Amino acid sequence: SRSFKSGKMKVDPSNPDVFPSRPDGTDLIGDNSNSWVGVTVLQKIFVKEHNYVAQKIADENPDLSDDEIFGYSRNIISALIAKIHTVDWTCELLKTEQLRVGME
């Protein structure tokens, strides 16, 4: 969820390492319906990275609007996630004997 301030995502103002939460204790942002701790950790890492990138962009480009900063940050984080998925993770996933046999 967006904060609409400096292109950043919402975090708990009293503890920026924690997502803001609803009265029932569930996180306000992220996947609450069918999640597990690994997904939650990744969400928190990428929200923190988004906010870091947004701050760097805002510092270097003070004339950009909140929407512009958010959009640039989102594109950078999306590219990072795509790189991790296609270059790092998928290549390791495909290093199997079954794939080698199937490709020969």
Side-chain angles (χ1 to χ4, degrees):
S1 181
R2 289 189 57 188
S3 70
F4 295 98
K5 295 177 184 158
S6 302
K8 293 183 178 181
M9 303 287 289
K10 282 185 184 175
V11 291
D12 186 324
S14 63
N15 184 355
D17 291 333
V18 176
F19 287 160
S21 58
R22 296 182 183 92
D24 66 359
T26 59
D27 289 338
L28 185 63
I29 60 176
D31 178 13
N32 292 305
S33 59
N34 188 20
S35 192
W36 56 284
V37 71
V39 171
T40 301
V41 169
L42 288 172
Q43 289 170 341
K44 290 183 180 189
I45 288 170
F46 286 116
V47 165
K48 289 179 77 164
E49 186 69 10
H50 173 96
N51 287 349
Y52 174 81
V53 168
Q55 186 62 55
K56 290 295 187 184
I57 291 171
D59 290 347
E60 294 179 17
N61 303 279
D63 295 334
L64 292 179
S65 70
D66 167 68
D67 279 340
E68 291 172 314
I69 296 168
F70 180 82
Y72 291 138
S73 301
R74 181 181 57 195
N75 288 344
I76 291 167
I77 298 305
S78 295
L80 176 62
I81 292 169
K83 184 265 182 197
I84 290 169
H85 185 270
T86 57
V87 175
D88 301 330
W89 182 73
T90 302
C91 293
E92 291 303 315
L93 182 67
L94 296 177
K95 289 182 182 175
T96 64
E97 182 64 18
Q98 292 85 354
L99 178 68
R100 189 189 63 73
V101 169
M103 296 299 285
E104 290 180 348

